[in-house]
Amino acid sequence: MGNGPASPEAAPWPALEYEEQVWTPSTTWGLRAADAGRLEEPYLAAVPPLIADAVPHPSAEAMESARRAEAELSRFDAELGDRIGAFAPILLRSEAASSSQIENLTASARAILNAELGVTGKRNALEIVANTRAMQAAIRLAESISAETILEMHAVLMAESTAHRPGQWRNEPVWTGTRSDSPVGAEYVAPRHGRVPELVDDVVSFLRAEAVPPLVAVAVSHAQFETIHPFSDGNGRTGRALAQAVLRHRGVTRNIAVPVSAGLLANVEGYHQALTEYRCGNVSPIVEAFAAASLRAIGNARQLVQQVQSIRDSWPQRLKVRRSSNAWRLLDVIVRRPVLTAAVAAEELGVQTPNIYPALRALGEAGILRKKDEYRSGPFWRSDEVLHAVDAFAERAGRRSA
């Protein structure tokens, strides 16, 4: 066992060590043992340190950034006030979509909302909907974070994937690099699968250390989780869902999922470099990355909230029906769910489906909703204004900014 590459900056945090493993290509199936042995190649797999009792000491600048970001996250969470019900779903979807985009999974707001309603034509949109559900599970399970709740998040995320053991730790090597058929020469090889359960229990114990400031705990636990890479797929999305759970668990946020992944998306290269630095024993870059991402995300999310609120405020001037009409009651529903079917709209208001059509027609005549027949799914009603605002959020998130 030996040390990996040294970080250029010394830091009081244990760096990875490495252990030699042997890779046998799957193409050796059917060969004689002697022939197969000649194809075996050694490689180095990471041995992450146990961190349950370790205390990270980021630089003074990183600590100050983390404190400021914590305060701003809490302030934004609180300032939505009685608008939480309207905007929490939009922000949650935005976080899930941004986290998925880091993994190169992109889809329009319309495609994502169509997928929520059962349209199955766009694979990326379906995966983003699954990520939204994983985020919801993370927040629901935030009160008691454990290895079991992490497995549940992953099970929700990967429910439709039979190839990647949903809700189970991996039983094979995983790595990052240019080759998909071998870990030999990979940029990073995660620890052998037998180490995963102990390492996950250890990072969960670290999260319970109240002495570590909340955003530092979020950043360090996320970096450790990504270093462990406990699943054969879905590690990044599960890890960022876990980060939302930790923010809620530590009381930084209480009502919403601030789309921090949208902030990370603005500098994915820097995010990945910070993970590399963490593995070399330097915690400051990942703390700074999460702090900067939080502040970027808050600015972007505030703009989204303001745009959607302005759209919502304009609707009463356009809607010319009696006050008893269900159309008025649907306005707040449209903010939360800017794509609707008649059945969903009726369920939201607790009325029979036939009774919702006059309201939908009135909203269409007012230009608030637009009707579109979706293939094999019947008519959908959508607010193009809200969808455009959500897509604009995603476009801003993908733009590198100072």
Side-chain angles (χ1 to χ4, degrees):
M1 185 181 295
N3 289 327
S7 169
E9 177 182 343
W13 191 255
L16 294 184
E17 294 186 331
Y18 294 83
E19 64 182 351
E20 186 172 293
Q21 299 286 290
V22 175
W23 173 251
T24 303
S26 59
T27 53
T28 61
W29 179 261
L31 294 179
R32 293 178 305 172
D35 294 331
R38 285 196 292 271
L39 296 176
E40 293 178 346
E41 295 183 87
Y43 66 93
L44 294 179
V47 181
L50 298 178
I51 66 169
D53 299 320
V55 178
H57 295 287
S59 67
E61 293 82 1
M63 281 298 301
E64 179 57 32
S65 295
R67 291 190 190 98
R68 181 185 169 208
E70 283 174 26
E72 290 299 318
L73 285 166
S74 296
R75 182 178 294 116
F76 179 63
D77 184 90
E79 75 186 27
L80 288 181
D82 59 4
R83 298 179 296 168
I84 290 294
F87 289 104
I90 291 178
L91 294 171
L92 181 71
R93 287 192 198 97
S94 297
E95 166 64 5
S98 298
S99 179
S100 298
Q101 194 171 345
I102 292 172
E103 310 298 331
N104 297 313
L105 296 169
T106 61
S108 68
R110 178 183 171 188
I112 295 167
L113 284 148
N114 283 356
E116 284 188 6
L117 293 172
V119 177
T120 59
K122 296 186 182 297
R123 181 65 188 173
N124 280 7
L126 292 170
E127 294 206 28
I128 293 169
V129 169
N131 199 14
T132 303
R133 292 177 182 140
M135 291 283 178
Q136 290 169 330
I139 290 170
R140 173 172 51 84
L141 299 167
E143 185 175 340
S144 178
I145 298 174
S146 65
E148 289 72 25
T149 57
I150 293 171
L151 288 171
E152 187 170 341
M153 295 173 205
H154 186 261
V156 172
L157 173 69
M158 306 298 292
E160 301 302 319
S161 173
T162 57
H164 291 289
R165 295 166 53 88
Q168 298 181 64
W169 307 130
R170 60 181 167 85
N171 61 356
E172 59 188 337
V174 295
W175 61 89
T176 59
T178 56
R179 293 183 62 181
S180 61
D181 61 335
S182 170
V184 177
E187 293 174 9
Y188 173 71
V189 183
R192 60 181 174 82
H193 65 86
R195 293 185 179 274
V196 167
E198 179 188 19
L199 287 166
V200 173
D201 286 341
D202 174 72
V203 78
V204 168
S205 295
F206 170 81
L207 287 171
R208 294 174 180 152
E210 296 292 331
V212 180
L215 199 67
V216 175
V218 169
V220 171
S221 62
H222 176 77
Q224 183 76 353
F225 184 87
E226 296 308 311
T227 296
I228 299 165
H229 241 58
F231 303 110
S232 58
D233 191 30
N235 293 283
R237 285 167 287 168
T238 303
R240 289 183 290 275
L242 176 61
Q244 288 291 336
V246 178
L247 286 171
R248 186 67 62 93
H249 181 76
R250 294 294 302 271
V252 177
T253 58
R254 299 181 183 277
N255 302 294
I256 58 172
V258 179
V260 175
S261 293
L264 294 172
L265 187 59
N267 188 4
V268 174
E269 183 179 346
Y271 166 51
H272 289 156
Q273 182 59 38
L275 291 173
T276 299
E277 283 291 313
Y278 172 84
R279 292 164 186 162
C280 294
N282 185 4
V283 298
S284 295
I286 194 65
V287 173
E288 291 170 340
F290 266 81
S294 298
L295 294 173
R296 278 194 295 263
I298 292 165
N300 196 355
R302 277 201 176 104
Q303 192 169 342
L304 172 61
V305 169
Q306 289 166 0
Q307 288 176 340
V308 174
Q309 186 67 60
S310 178
I311 293 165
R312 171 64 180 86
D313 291 344
S314 74
W315 288 341
Q317 284 74 48
R318 289 188 262 166
L319 190 56
K320 308 299 182 184
V321 293
R322 65 186 185 279
R323 283 287 173 179
S324 59
S325 170
N326 283 326
W328 292 97
R329 296 174 60 202
L330 275 176
L331 295 181
D332 287 332
V333 174
I334 295 166
V335 172
R336 291 187 285 108
R337 306 191 68 164
V339 179
L340 293 162
T341 63
V344 168
E347 182 182 3
E348 286 279 356
L349 298 190
V351 301
Q352 296 297 313
T353 300
N355 296 335
I356 206 67
Y357 286 104
L360 292 171
R361 283 196 295 271
L363 291 163
E365 291 167 0
I368 295 170
L369 291 181
R370 180 180 178 185
K371 182 181 176 182
K372 177 72 165 59
D373 287 328
E374 296 291 341
Y375 180 62
R376 294 183 177 177
S377 300
F380 283 18
W381 283 263
R382 70 176 190 263
S383 166
D384 286 335
E385 294 170 298
V386 175
L387 293 176
H388 290 159
V390 176
D391 282 337
F393 170 93
E395 183 180 354
R396 292 190 302 270
R399 183 186 306 142
R400 183 185 294 271
S401 59

